[in-house]
Amino acid sequence: ESSPYLKQHASNPVDWYPWGPEAFARARDEDKPILLSVGYAACHWCHVMAHESFEDDETAALMNERFVNVKVDREERPDVDGIYMTAVQAMIGHGGWPMTVVLTPEGHPYWGGTYFPRDEQPGMPSFKRVLTTIADAWTHKRDAVERTTAAMRELYENSARISGPTGELSTELLGEAFSVLRSRYDAVNGGFEGAPKFPQAMALDFCLRWHAASGDAAALEIARHSFLAMARGGIYDQLRGGFARYSVDAEWLVPHFEKMLYDNALLARLGVALWLVTRDDEIRRVVEDTLAWLAAEMTSPEGGFYSSLDADSEGHEGKFYVWDASELDTLLGNDASVAKAYWGVHAGGNFEGKSILHVPADIERVATQLGTTVDDVRAAIARAVPLLLAARAARVRPGLDDKILSAWNGLMTRALAEAARAFGDPRWRDMAVRNAEFLRDRMVREGRVMRVFSVGGSKGPGFLDDHAATALAFMSVHELTLEPRWLVEARAITTVMEQRFRDPRTGAWYDTADDAEPLITRPRDLFDNATPSGPSLALEAMIRTSELDGDAKRRSDALMQLAALAQPMREWPNGFGHALGATDLALAGAVAVAIVGDPTSPATRALTDVVNGRYLPRLVLVSAPPDEAPVPLLRNRPSIAGAPTAYVCRGFACDLPVTDPSALREQLDRI
């Protein structure tokens, strides 16, 4: 196996199998249940359970005697993870990783849970006692097992039913969804509700969209304050850049220290949008530092982006990132007092006797407290950062999950392309194009996207989110480079996506293709959780494609699919942030800007700079040289007097063509 997570367990005394027919054949032959353990490489509690139980000879012997043991990397197989997480949540009311599920040899779940300790703890049985109890149930209480599996089959059947509209899609629905988000907003600390607190970048992105659509200042404040609160908190790496997975407290101080590619993709893209609205230098710095971290620590030689950095090093969570006050005194000399005040470092620490760097007060307040100037504080911090980074580099680094996932890479390429357009920075342009070329050359085969690139090759058929995120990334790279080839690539993927992942009878989108490995149910996750759901990404891709092609039926189909989510979006908008954005796009229609001209021409670039310099959340930008029309939106759009020419269109009805950037600016201002 190539998965770093599975490799972490290769030397366990547990006789692990990867997911596949061999394990299930043995379970049938020996009439044993499957013990399915699901996790991922950066998961702290997965490591804890591994050290306590899977590396313990006595526990392993019990597992090997009574079960056939299967280990799954949830990031490689989100279909398996999603199916059995549904069962665990139904059985115990919550889920999480490590996930432990016991299955019949046919794959039907009859028991599930998450983390269990090796030894008994108050309110929590030992893993060995759990193993004995559920193995005995298989041996002596098969009728009870069968009742549970029957209930789980009914659960899957109910969830697989395709529902009709649950409400009317309208601007009023979007406003009601925002009102719910506002009611859950933490006005003191930013973000939504209390601890543990997740970034929820998609919900914040929807707030920013709602501000643009309605002019509601509160919506902008929620997005801006939440982003800056995270950026000043311990959840953000103050030295290197990049956000951790979530905060265990409501103040963003103590993170769960793993850094995931997808969080940073979504937050960087949110930051770009916020900068376009606010022109806040701090927001831009955070975005650019995060992308610099991506370039330095998360980019493969081939141009792909790695999946995650672990929370742990040397067996301790966060050890790589925390500091003693005395270390700063030794390393920074005269700047130590400024650095400690700025980053909230003191002798007692704020995390297990050490200090997580964060920014507890405005720089102006720090300067006043120290009796110095803001410029002097900034200069001291600028001197301190490289010294602390050099000292940190000598520590044992957290583990790197170096597998490359198409969906997550697509999300990050989109963020890079939008950063390059907004900031005009060639670094982000080069990274976006290089990653898009990596995806095209290494991950796409005849329009189908592979899931994983690891150990020199791609493997595993891609899921719906892999296809949709890659197609959207290619569209974004076209908007950056104006090269028609990226539109061609995107449309090829969306064509295959419709053929393989959409039910032609009901129009429903599924996470697995119609020729994928058959499982006990065909998964279809509609929630935008840590990442956008496959269906919400697919619907956005199809809406954007409909704008390029003038295909009104495709847009109406998307609206019909979104109407099935109307009630959930209204009541639980935190779980449908990306779907709400797709709904906004589908309801209002895109602002389509078609530019006819040589993409390398300064005059063409002058027109695109007007577009790139403003926040247009419904933008669809398409361009090609004269006499080339890779999509219908560009057909019959002549250039004026041979000059690069822009057409601003809504629903294929266009304003007068313009060649002057100021005239284009006026047209966009009217919108």
Side-chain angles (χ1 to χ4, degrees):
E1 294 295 308
S2 59
S3 160
Y5 176 65
L6 297 186
K7 286 180 177 181
Q8 289 173 359
H9 295 272
S11 60
N12 292 169
V14 178
D15 184 14
W16 292 115
Y17 285 77
W19 180 271
E22 185 181 1
F24 285 91
R26 181 183 164 194
R28 288 191 296 270
D29 291 344
E30 299 181 8
D31 191 32
K32 287 183 177 178
I34 296 275
L35 191 145
L36 173 65
S37 177
V38 182
Y40 57 101
C43 168
H44 170 69
W45 286 103
C46 298
H47 300 328
V48 173
M49 191 165 179
H51 296 322
E52 291 180 346
S53 295
F54 303 149
E55 295 172 7
D56 177 66
D57 289 331
E58 185 178 348
T59 305
L62 179 58
M63 293 172 68
N64 295 337
E65 177 188 356
R66 306 295 298 272
F67 301 90
V68 175
N69 304 289
V70 174
K71 178 62 77 171
V72 165
D73 182 339
R74 68 173 296 262
E75 295 167 355
E76 284 198 347
R77 293 300 303 264
D79 53 340
V80 172
D81 174 65
I83 286 171
Y84 293 109
M85 184 61 75
T86 297
V88 170
Q89 290 170 333
M91 290 176 184
I92 66 173
H94 62 88
W97 299 275
M99 178 171 67
T100 309
V101 196
V102 181
L103 320 176
T104 69
E106 292 74 36
H108 297 287
Y110 76 86
W111 180 91
T114 54
Y115 162 80
F116 291 93
R118 179 180 57 188
D119 303 314
E120 300 284 331
Q121 293 183 8
M124 189 175 291
S126 71
F127 190 47
K128 286 181 287 187
R129 179 150 72 91
V130 168
L131 292 171
T132 299
T133 300
I134 56 180
D136 287 346
W138 177 256
T139 303
H140 302 296
K141 299 178 181 178
R142 195 69 65 93
D143 57 339
V145 169
E146 291 173 354
R147 285 194 298 271
T148 301
T149 58
M152 290 298 103
R153 283 194 292 272
E154 184 177 359
L155 172 74
Y156 291 129
E157 288 169 4
N158 290 336
S159 64
R161 292 193 179 100
I162 306 302
S163 68
T166 60
E168 182 181 352
L169 294 183
S170 63
T171 302
E172 287 73 23
L173 180 147
L174 300 178
E176 290 168 10
F178 171 70
S179 294
V180 174
L181 289 174
R182 183 170 54 191
S183 72
R184 297 173 181 169
Y185 170 58
D186 180 346
V188 176
N189 301 301
F192 299 102
E193 298 179 329
K197 188 173 278 186
F198 291 82
Q200 299 200 41
M202 290 172 281
L204 295 173
D205 178 75
F206 171 67
C207 289
L208 193 60
R209 284 173 168 269
W210 182 247
H211 165 72
S214 68
D216 191 329
L220 172 59
E221 176 60 15
I222 289 171
R224 186 199 66 84
H225 177 218
S226 298
F227 185 88
L228 287 174
M230 286 185 274
R232 295 170 184 175
I235 193 174
Y236 181 71
D237 185 346
Q238 300 294 330
L239 298 180
R240 173 53 100 180
F243 292 85
R245 177 72 194 94
Y246 66 88
S247 173
V248 302
D249 53 58
E251 294 78 33
W252 306 112
L253 174 60
V254 180
H256 199 31
F257 286 89
E258 73 260 37
K259 287 181 175 179
M260 311 300 296
L261 180 67
Y262 57 78
D263 284 317
N264 286 282
L266 295 170
L267 286 164
R269 185 167 179 243
L270 172 65
V272 172
L274 275 167
W275 181 81
L276 285 169
V277 175
T278 66
R279 291 303 199 262
D280 187 309
D281 289 340
E282 182 180 2
I283 291 173
R284 176 168 177 166
R285 175 186 60 77
V286 170
V287 171
E288 297 210 303
D289 285 353
T290 296
L291 298 181
W293 160 75
L294 173 77
E297 299 189 8
M298 300 295 287
T299 304
S300 76
E302 301 88 354
F305 302 132
Y306 299 134
S307 291
S308 64
L309 288 175
D310 209 326
D312 296 12
S313 55
E314 300 183 81
H316 296 280
E317 185 180 12
K319 185 173 182 179
F320 182 73
Y321 298 100
V322 297
W323 297 87
D324 283 322
S326 60
E327 290 179 282
L328 270 64
D329 290 333
T330 301
L331 292 165
L332 303 182
N334 293 334
D335 289 332
S337 60
V338 177
K340 288 190 292 185
Y342 180 76
W343 282 315
V345 177
H346 52 81
N350 53 35
F351 177 71
E352 299 178 354
K354 305 249 184 194
S355 286
I356 300 167
L357 302 188
H358 66 299
V359 182
D362 291 339
I363 193 169
E364 292 81 6
R365 184 184 302 177
V366 173
T368 300
Q369 289 173 346
L370 296 174
T372 187
T373 67
V374 167
D375 287 343
D376 285 342
V377 173
R378 287 200 176 102
I381 296 304
R383 291 189 294 268
V385 167
L387 295 174
L388 295 182
L389 278 174
R392 200 172 80 173
R395 300 174 179 175
V396 176
R397 294 186 59 79
L400 170 70
D401 185 337
D402 63 358
K403 70 176 181 292
I404 297 167
L405 300 175
S406 294
W408 299 4
N409 274 244
L411 295 176
M412 183 56 87
T413 294
R414 196 174 185 187
L416 280 162
E418 293 183 12
R421 287 178 51 227
F423 302 154
D425 193 319
R427 293 177 297 170
W428 318 139
R429 176 189 173 93
D430 292 347
M431 285 178 68
V433 172
R434 187 171 180 234
N435 187 258
E437 290 173 341
F438 166 84
L439 289 170
R440 181 198 62 195
D441 297 341
R442 302 295 186 98
M443 304 301 285
V444 180
R445 300 178 185 174
E446 298 179 353
R448 301 194 72 169
V449 181
M450 306 301 287
R451 174 66 175 176
V452 182
F453 182 90
S454 186
V455 194
S458 57
K459 70 170 191 175
F463 300 96
L464 178 58
D465 63 341
D466 295 303
H467 287 75
T470 300
L472 287 165
F474 288 170
M475 292 180 195
S476 291
V477 173
H478 168 75
E479 292 179 339
L480 169 65
T481 65
L482 308 184
E483 295 175 356
R485 60 178 174 138
W486 295 113
L487 282 182
V488 174
E489 299 286 349
R491 293 181 76 202
I493 292 171
T494 56
T495 298
V496 169
M497 189 172 73
E498 277 196 292
Q499 293 169 347
R500 292 295 186 179
F501 291 90
R502 193 175 182 214
D503 186 323
R505 183 177 56 86
T506 66
W509 293 91
Y510 288 92
D511 293 328
T512 54
D514 57 2
D515 59 351
E517 173 193 351
L519 302 170
I520 60 172
T521 188
R522 190 176 180 189
R524 181 172 177 263
D525 187 359
L526 299 174
F527 284 92
D528 297 318
N529 292 308
T531 58
S533 74
S536 72
L537 284 168
L539 287 167
E540 184 193 0
M542 301 319 296
I543 296 164
R544 289 182 171 277
T545 302
S546 75
E547 294 284 351
L548 297 174
D549 294 347
D551 188 340
K553 182 180 183 304
R554 185 172 281 164
R555 180 176 164 191
S556 66
D557 285 349
L559 282 166
M560 182 178 67
Q561 291 294 310
L562 288 163
L565 301 177
Q567 190 66 19
M569 286 193 292
R570 177 186 288 109
E571 295 183 5
W572 305 294
N574 297 78
F576 295 94
H578 194 83
L580 283 163
T583 302
D584 172 63
L585 177 62
L587 283 172
V591 176
V593 180
I595 298 178
V596 180
D598 178 357
T600 64
S601 161
T604 301
R605 284 293 166 193
L607 292 172
T608 57
D609 284 347
V610 172
V611 181
N612 294 342
R614 63 185 57 220
Y615 177 59
L616 293 167
R618 301 169 185 152
L619 174 71
V620 171
L621 173 62
V622 62
S623 180
D627 303 321
E628 287 189 33
V631 293
L633 183 60
L634 283 165
R635 291 175 192 159
N636 302 315
R637 308 278 186 222
S639 60
I640 297 176
T645 304
Y647 295 79
V648 177
C649 310
R650 305 293 300 274
F652 262 61
C654 302
D655 289 346
L656 291 174
V658 295
T659 59
D660 181 63
S662 62
L664 176 58
R665 188 176 296 109
E666 289 175 6
Q667 289 184 348
L668 293 175
D669 284 343
R670 285 198 296 272
I671 293 174

